[in-house]
mmCIF file of all heavy atoms in Angstrom:
data_model
loop_
_atom_site.group_PDB
_atom_site.id
_atom_site.type_symbol
_atom_site.label_atom_id
_atom_site.label_comp_id
_atom_site.label_asym_id
_atom_site.label_seq_id
_atom_site.Cartn_x
_atom_site.Cartn_y
_atom_site.Cartn_z
ATOM 1 N N MET R 1 0.848 -1.179 0.000
ATOM 2 C CA MET R 1 0.000 0.000 0.000
ATOM 3 C C MET R 1 0.888 1.235 0.000
ATOM 4 O O MET R 1 1.990 1.233 0.535
ATOM 5 C CB MET R 1 -0.902 -0.009 1.241
ATOM 6 C CG MET R 1 -1.761 1.218 1.319
ATOM 7 S SD MET R 1 -3.274 1.114 2.269
ATOM 8 C CE MET R 1 -2.712 1.071 3.924
ATOM 9 N N SER R 2 0.414 2.316 -0.607
ATOM 10 C CA SER R 2 1.156 3.573 -0.618
ATOM 11 C C SER R 2 0.180 4.746 -0.569
ATOM 12 O O SER R 2 -1.001 4.595 -0.868
ATOM 13 C CB SER R 2 2.033 3.677 -1.859
ATOM 14 O OG SER R 2 1.231 3.681 -3.017
ATOM 15 N N VAL R 3 0.685 5.900 -0.170
ATOM 16 C CA VAL R 3 -0.130 7.109 -0.061
ATOM 17 C C VAL R 3 0.638 8.259 -0.685
ATOM 18 O O VAL R 3 1.831 8.420 -0.446
ATOM 19 C CB VAL R 3 -0.438 7.439 1.420
ATOM 20 C CG1 VAL R 3 -1.182 8.755 1.544
ATOM 21 C CG2 VAL R 3 -1.209 6.322 2.074
ATOM 22 N N ASN R 4 -0.043 9.045 -1.491
ATOM 23 C CA ASN R 4 0.527 10.261 -2.064
ATOM 24 C C ASN R 4 -0.468 11.376 -1.769
ATOM 25 O O ASN R 4 -1.374 11.639 -2.552
ATOM 26 C CB ASN R 4 0.745 10.094 -3.570
ATOM 27 C CG ASN R 4 1.356 11.329 -4.203
ATOM 28 O OD1 ASN R 4 1.571 12.343 -3.556
ATOM 29 N ND2 ASN R 4 1.617 11.240 -5.494
ATOM 30 N N LYS R 5 -0.313 12.021 -0.609
ATOM 31 C CA LYS R 5 -1.241 13.071 -0.196
ATOM 32 C C LYS R 5 -0.456 14.257 0.341
ATOM 33 O O LYS R 5 0.470 14.100 1.121
ATOM 34 C CB LYS R 5 -2.205 12.569 0.882
ATOM 35 C CG LYS R 5 -3.233 13.612 1.273
ATOM 36 C CD LYS R 5 -4.330 13.050 2.123
ATOM 37 C CE LYS R 5 -5.382 14.110 2.360
ATOM 38 N NZ LYS R 5 -6.575 13.582 2.970
ATOM 39 N N VAL R 6 -0.871 15.440 -0.099
ATOM 40 C CA VAL R 6 -0.237 16.678 0.324
ATOM 41 C C VAL R 6 -1.311 17.595 0.883
ATOM 42 O O VAL R 6 -2.389 17.709 0.305
ATOM 43 C CB VAL R 6 0.452 17.370 -0.874
ATOM 44 C CG1 VAL R 6 1.043 18.696 -0.469
ATOM 45 C CG2 VAL R 6 1.503 16.470 -1.480
ATOM 46 N N GLY R 78 -4.118 17.561 -2.113
ATOM 47 C CA GLY R 78 -3.866 16.969 -3.419
ATOM 48 C C GLY R 78 -2.765 15.942 -3.329
ATOM 49 O O GLY R 78 -2.528 15.351 -2.274
ATOM 50 N N SER R 79 -2.077 15.731 -4.448
ATOM 51 C CA SER R 79 -0.998 14.758 -4.500
ATOM 52 C C SER R 79 0.185 15.332 -5.261
ATOM 53 O O SER R 79 0.036 16.237 -6.086
ATOM 54 C CB SER R 79 -1.477 13.468 -5.169
ATOM 55 O OG SER R 79 -1.943 13.739 -6.472
ATOM 56 N N LEU R 80 1.390 14.797 -4.974
ATOM 57 C CA LEU R 80 2.582 15.219 -5.687
ATOM 58 C C LEU R 80 2.603 14.588 -7.070
ATOM 59 O O LEU R 80 2.216 13.432 -7.243
ATOM 60 C CB LEU R 80 3.839 14.797 -4.939
ATOM 61 C CG LEU R 80 4.220 15.629 -3.733
ATOM 62 C CD1 LEU R 80 5.478 15.050 -3.096
ATOM 63 C CD2 LEU R 80 4.434 17.073 -4.088
ATOM 64 N N ARG R 100 -6.840 18.666 -5.486
ATOM 65 C CA ARG R 100 -8.188 18.094 -5.602
ATOM 66 C C ARG R 100 -9.213 18.866 -4.775
ATOM 67 O O ARG R 100 -10.373 18.928 -5.126
ATOM 68 C CB ARG R 100 -8.172 16.632 -5.157
ATOM 69 C CG ARG R 100 -7.478 15.736 -6.136
ATOM 70 C CD ARG R 100 -7.690 14.259 -5.798
ATOM 71 N NE ARG R 100 -6.645 13.473 -6.417
ATOM 72 C CZ ARG R 100 -5.518 13.114 -5.832
ATOM 73 N NH1 ARG R 100 -5.284 13.451 -4.579
ATOM 74 N NH2 ARG R 100 -4.615 12.416 -6.474
#
Side-chain angles (χ1 to χ4, degrees):
M1 178 156 72
S2 63
V3 175
N4 181 357
K5 183 169 186 170
V6 177
S79 58
L80 283 179
R100 288 190 201 94

